[in-house]
């Protein structure tokens, strides 16, 4: 067996102290074996589902060697080469009956790609095309993207994309600049702008009302008398204005469409 070619090392990850313990199911031992065809060393990283940050959990180990990690089912681990451009993800499933150690064999790594997200803030639906620079052809990628929606895909730095409305008119052209593994956002059209003008004689505060959590998120702490404040937002978003005593004064709902501006007067 490949794992017999190197001494066994046990790396105990104290993950119970982390938020992931809320989701942990079964504690298991996982043996990662480097079985790559090429003579390439790898390192294993654990991915935190809360923020997707990755933490190293093994030393670098060569082809033919293995490392053992204590983990929980449901965890995700990533194998990287030294450049961290080639990788492979592994999801730890429940062990089979009688299995004390879960074997994960790393047989290949794939090239990490850039991620591009295209957000449609134009007045209507749109289509996204990849520009084939060799043939000059625009090749459609993905579904129709409705107003206020987004579409993301794996791509590479230097790739060119074109957004078109349903009449075939070009709305915008983009060149991907993101490095592998990093998400890059591109916006078509502009978000509506909400303008709050304080007509009162005392300072006020502006809060966005998150309908998912039913919480108020402060977007501007102190709006002085006679002053204005602009916020990029979305149609249907709600805002609450409170006075300096945090008493609720008014509530506003944005009705402006994308690319438009709406002004709200803060008064009694």
């Amino acid at each position: 067996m490949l794992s017999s070619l190197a001494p066994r090392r046990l790396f105990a990850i104290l993950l119970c102290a982390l938020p992931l313990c809320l989701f942990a199911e079964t504690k298991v031992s996982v043996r990662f074996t480097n079985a790559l065809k090429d003579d390439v060393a790898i390192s294993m990283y654990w991915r935190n589902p809360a923020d997707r940050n990755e933490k190293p959990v093994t030393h670098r180990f060569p082809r033919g060697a293995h490392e053992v990690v204590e983990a929980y089912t449901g965890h995700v681990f990533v194998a990287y080469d030294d450049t961290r451009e080639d990788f492979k993800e592994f999801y730890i499933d429940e062990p089979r009956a009688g299995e004390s150690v879960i074997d994960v064999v790393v047989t290949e790594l794939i090239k990490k790609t850039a991620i591009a997200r295209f957000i449609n803030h134009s007045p209507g639906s749109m289509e996204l095309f990849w520009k084939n620079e060799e043939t000059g052809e625009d090749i459609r990628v993905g579904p129709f993207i409705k107003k206020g929606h987004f579409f993301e895909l794996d791509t590479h730095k230097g790739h060119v994309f074109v957004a078109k409305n349903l009449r075939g008119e070009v709305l915008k052209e983009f060149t991907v600049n993101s490095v592998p593994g990093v998400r890059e956002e591109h916006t078509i059209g502009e978000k509506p702008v909400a303008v709050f003008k304080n007509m009162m004689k005392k300072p006020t505060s502006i809060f966005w009302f998150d309908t998912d959590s039913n919480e108020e998120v402060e977007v501007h702490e102190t709006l002085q008398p006679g002053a204005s404040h602009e916020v990029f937002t979305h149609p249907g978003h709600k805002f609450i204005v409170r006075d300096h005593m945090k008493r609720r004064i008014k509530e506003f709902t944005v009705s402006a469409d994308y690319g438009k501006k709406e002004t709200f007067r803060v008064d009694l």
Side-chain angles (χ1 to χ4, degrees):
M1 293 178 61
L2 286 170
S3 59
S4 65
L5 298 180
R8 172 172 171 164
R9 301 185 185 93
L10 180 64
F11 288 83
I13 312 172
L14 302 179
L15 295 176
C16 238
L18 299 173
L20 187 61
C21 269
L22 296 173
F23 311 101
E25 295 293 337
T26 306
K27 188 175 182 179
V28 293
S29 294
V30 183
R31 179 167 48 223
F32 296 98
T33 300
N34 182 350
L36 296 174
K37 294 180 180 179
D38 298 326
D39 188 15
V40 174
I42 61 173
S43 302
M44 300 304 305
Y45 288 72
W46 168 70
R47 178 177 293 159
N48 186 334
D51 55 17
R52 295 186 63 82
N53 285 334
E54 295 172 351
K55 304 179 185 298
V57 294
T58 72
H59 294 310
R60 177 179 180 272
F61 58 105
R63 183 181 62 171
H66 71 261
E67 298 285 356
V68 178
V69 170
E70 289 185 357
Y72 290 88
T73 55
H75 283 192
V76 174
F77 291 86
V78 187
Y80 283 108
D81 67 356
D82 288 341
T83 67
R84 293 203 66 182
E85 292 184 0
D86 294 343
F87 79 112
K88 188 70 179 286
E89 295 181 356
F90 299 93
Y91 176 84
I92 306 304
D93 210 342
E94 290 287 339
R96 293 188 293 268
E99 188 177 38
S100 60
V101 177
I102 297 177
D103 274 302
V104 175
V105 182
V106 184
T107 59
E108 65 174 354
L109 299 178
I110 59 176
K111 183 67 69 177
K112 208 170 191 180
T113 59
I115 304 169
R117 172 178 290 186
F118 299 90
I119 307 171
N120 183 11
H121 291 316
S122 69
S125 296
M126 58 166 243
E127 297 177 282
L128 186 67
F129 296 82
W130 169 63
K131 184 177 287 293
N132 187 332
E133 295 188 347
E134 293 183 359
T135 64
E137 182 183 7
D138 289 347
I139 300 173
R140 182 181 167 186
V141 292
F144 290 112
I145 308 174
K146 296 180 180 179
K147 179 176 68 173
H149 291 221
F150 70 86
F151 174 72
E152 69 178 35
L153 48 73
D154 293 334
T155 182
H156 295 279
K157 185 175 182 178
H159 277 195
V160 177
F161 292 88
V162 180
K164 299 181 182 180
N165 62 25
L166 300 189
R167 296 188 299 274
E169 300 167 337
V170 174
L171 300 174
K172 203 169 184 180
E173 185 172 298
F174 309 89
T175 300
V176 175
N177 295 308
S178 180
V179 298
V182 176
R183 177 182 287 106
E184 180 176 274
E185 290 192 351
H186 299 280
T187 301
I188 300 91
E190 296 295 335
K191 297 179 183 179
V193 177
V195 183
F196 299 92
K197 186 172 180 60
N198 187 6
M199 307 302 295
M200 300 181 63
K201 295 181 179 181
K202 292 183 179 181
T204 58
S205 300
I206 304 169
F207 297 81
W208 167 62
F209 183 69
D210 186 346
T211 54
D212 291 331
S213 64
N214 289 325
E215 294 180 351
E216 296 180 18
V217 181
E218 190 171 64
V219 295
H220 193 69
E221 182 178 6
T222 305
L223 185 61
Q224 296 293 342
S228 298
H229 181 69
E230 295 187 356
V231 178
F232 284 104
T233 182
H234 292 276
H237 274 195
K238 293 183 179 180
F239 292 88
I240 296 169
V241 180
R242 295 185 178 275
D243 65 14
H244 66 291
M245 299 293 291
K246 300 303 179 184
R247 292 174 298 196
R248 186 179 183 132
I249 299 173
K250 254 185 177 180
E251 179 180 305
F252 300 101
T253 299
V254 176
S255 59
D257 206 345
Y258 292 98
K260 304 295 184 180
K261 181 180 287 190
E262 186 171 8
T263 300
F264 300 103
R265 293 168 58 91
V266 179
D267 52 21
L268 293 176

